[in-house]
Amino acid sequence: MKLDIIVSITAALLSLNAAAQQASSASRLTVGGYGEVAMTRNFFSDNVYRYSKASEYADAKGHGRFDIPHAVIYIGYDFGKGWTMQTEIEFEHTGTGSSVEKEFTEAGEWETEIEKGGEVELEQFWIQKSFFPQLNVRMGHVIVPVGGLNNAHEPLNFFTVYRPEGEFTILPSTWHDTGISIWGKAGNWKYEALLVAGLDAFMFDRDNFIKYGAGSPFEFKVANTYGFAARVDNTSIRNLRLSLSGYAGNSMHNTYPNDLTDTRYAGIKGTTLVGSFDFQYKSDNLIIRGNADYGHVSDASTISTVKRNLTANNAPYRKLPVGSAALAAGMEAGYDVLHLFNRHMDKSEKLYVFGRYEYYDSYIPAKDQQEYGFTEKHRMAVGINWLPLPQIAVKAEYSKRFLSPMYNDEPSVSVGIAYMGFFNH
């Protein structure tokens, strides 16, 4: 069935692209997208006990994998008189196949198996009315631009082969939800304010904080509670963008059926707050990016207890506890070395030598919660990005994840290729 869907969508998109190429340059139809292919060799064990029995797996030979993390197609149309629409269809990890994920119990052993596989998602579907540059209203399924990665998640907007690990671990990525967005630009300022469906606290967990909270285990998205998000960008300084973003909303009682409102847990809100700062400096030959994110969930201990009781009865929620907070901070810098060797060459071709460092912890426990040392990680990566054309990047990197001394560090080598662009421009 999935293969039939993919073939049908591909055929339709090829037809649209052919039609778009025959249209004039003033065509109102836009077709584009981005995609990534990656290969990694991990020089550490993939055994499920590699943390709880770390000493037994210190000399592991490692393992490798191929992946297509994302393959995305954009289709947009300008109806005229300020009315536009946009869709984004995403195939994650080829959109097919399956794997098994095992989770730690609170005793430090692995027990819960979750069947996981590729997905085909509708990440954006909205209709927008533009009144003037300072005021645009967008309704539908929209991107929630909290954090640097969610604001610019396409593969040519970061140097690493995979998405920056810290934000990708603790925040939904790409964070998309149904609601209404109001945004605009005025001079060197850009703003966006959003009202969307609330997160689901039962989808939070220790290893990923609120990452899966924007999803749903059902065929619909529950919206008993609502979330509010906002972002402000400033570009007053030449080549530099400075940004603040955040989210606030109650995440408890946002599932189906909503039985707990009639129990002793009725007053538990699970208030979720996220604050983020990110920036980008970009000149002809130098790019520097950075982010700092902090999140807090109230009533984390109670939520974890309720989740454990529900999953014991086979409810479709994440079993692991959620901490009261999580954080991520990172920075990367890349310098184009090609211009040093031939100043008369094609300036559209780039070869960035880059480095990245980040720190993150997906589980900062409340005072009455158990601690897990392996959720705190430092990660460094060094490598290259070769852009033969502005729309294509060939990437290679060596990275190492540093854990607490009682665990084994996790080095790896990755290579990949990515594209990003529009097909009819």
Side-chain angles (χ1 to χ4, degrees), residues 25 38 57 81 87 89 122 133 140 168 202-203 275 287 300 307 324 339 372 387 389 410 417 421:
S25 59
Y57 302 99
K81 296 184 178 181
T87 63
I89 302 169
L122 185 66
F168 185 73
F202 290 164
M203 300 301 287
I287 300 176
K307 287 199 318 144
S324 66
H339 82 285
Y372 298 94
L387 280 70
L389 298 169
E410 299 177 342
I417 188 168

Side-chain angles (χ1 to χ4, degrees), residues 70-310:
H70 306 93
V72 173
I73 298 169
Y74 297 130
I75 303 175
Y77 192 76
D78 183 350
F79 296 99
K81 296 184 178 181
W83 289 94
T84 56
M85 63 81 68
Q86 178 74 51
T87 63
E88 177 182 340
I89 302 169
E90 177 170 287
F91 301 87
E92 290 189 359
H93 309 291
T94 73
T96 60
S98 64
S99 61
V100 176
E101 176 186 292
K102 294 189 176 183
E103 295 185 338
F104 271 114
T105 66
E106 291 198 19
E109 300 295 336
W110 296 80
E111 72 165 21
T112 304
E113 294 190 357
I114 302 174
E115 292 291 337
K116 302 185 72 177
E119 296 179 334
V120 180
E121 289 189 306
L122 185 66
E123 286 212 346
Q124 294 190 66
F125 173 69
W126 46 257
I127 298 174
Q128 176 175 285
K129 171 60 178 177
S130 297
F131 296 94
F132 38 84
Q134 295 84 0
L135 180 60
N136 306 269
V137 180
R138 182 178 295 174
M139 294 186 67
H141 203 69
V142 298
I143 299 295
V144 182
V146 175
L149 177 58
N150 283 308
N151 181 62
H153 55 277
E154 300 85 357
L156 271 61
N157 290 320
F158 49 85
F159 289 122
T160 47
V161 174
Y162 299 95
R163 292 180 174 181
E165 195 166 284
E167 283 193 327
F168 185 73
T169 297
I170 70 169
L171 298 179
S173 179
T174 303
W175 194 339
H176 53 94
D177 222 321
T178 303
I180 182 170
S181 164
I182 299 174
W183 68 275
K185 295 180 179 180
N188 294 318
W189 294 89
K190 179 182 177 182
Y191 77 91
E192 185 169 5
L194 305 94
L195 171 67
V196 294
L199 300 176
D200 181 358
F202 290 164
M203 300 301 287
F204 299 171
D205 69 17
R206 178 201 60 207
D207 295 334
N208 299 103
F209 194 48
I210 67 170
K211 179 182 180 70
Y212 297 107
S216 173
F218 309 105
E219 293 183 349
F220 56 91
K221 179 63 185 291
V222 180
N224 299 328
T225 65
Y226 303 96
F228 301 88
R231 182 179 181 88
V232 177
D233 302 310
N234 179 264
T235 55
S236 297
I237 301 174
R238 184 171 177 265
N239 297 329
L240 179 65
R241 173 186 53 77
L242 301 172
S243 305
L244 290 173
S245 57
Y247 172 89
N250 293 335
S251 302
M252 191 67 170
H253 308 296
N254 197 34
T255 189
Y256 172 85
N258 189 21
D259 295 336
L260 296 179
T261 53
D262 299 323
T263 70
R264 60 193 176 99
Y265 301 113
I268 303 300
K269 296 182 181 298
T271 302
T272 303
L273 303 173
V274 177
S276 178
F277 166 75
D278 65 273
F279 75 91
Q280 175 177 274
Y281 174 85
K282 186 174 184 179
S283 63
D284 289 340
N285 304 307
L286 176 65
I287 300 176
I288 304 174
R289 305 182 183 98
N291 68 275
D293 312 271
Y294 180 82
H296 173 75
V297 175
S298 70
D299 309 305
S301 298
T302 303
I303 292 170
S304 299
T305 299
V306 176
K307 287 199 318 144
R308 184 169 62 246
N309 294 336
L310 289 174

Side-chain angles (χ1 to χ4, degrees), residues 48-54 104 110 374 377 403 407 410:
V48 296
Y49 298 107
R50 65 184 179 273
Y51 296 134
S52 61
K53 301 178 182 179
F104 271 114
W110 296 80
F374 53 82
K377 300 179 176 72
L403 284 76
Y407 306 108
E410 299 177 342

Side-chain angles (χ1 to χ4, degrees), residues 341-416:
F341 301 101
N342 188 349
R343 298 180 182 275
H344 302 291
M345 66 182 298
D346 183 1
K347 292 185 178 181
S348 66
E349 183 177 2
K350 302 283 187 179
L351 178 60
Y352 289 100
V353 177
F354 79 89
R356 181 176 180 86
Y357 169 80
E358 56 191 317
Y359 166 82
Y360 64 97
D361 191 343
S362 59
Y363 178 85
I364 300 175
K367 292 181 179 180
D368 58 346
Q369 288 185 292
Q370 181 178 343
E371 294 188 4
Y372 298 94
F374 53 82
T375 63
E376 182 180 18
K377 300 179 176 72
H378 298 259
R379 184 180 186 271
M380 69 87 179
V382 293
I384 61 171
N385 276 202
W386 174 45
L387 280 70
L389 298 169
Q391 300 87 5
I392 296 175
V394 179
K395 302 182 177 186
E397 72 176 57
Y398 169 81
S399 68
K400 191 170 186 178
R401 195 179 294 123
F402 300 89
L403 284 76
S404 299
M406 66 192 73
Y407 306 108
N408 301 311
D409 294 338
E410 299 177 342
S412 64
V413 172
S414 301
V415 295

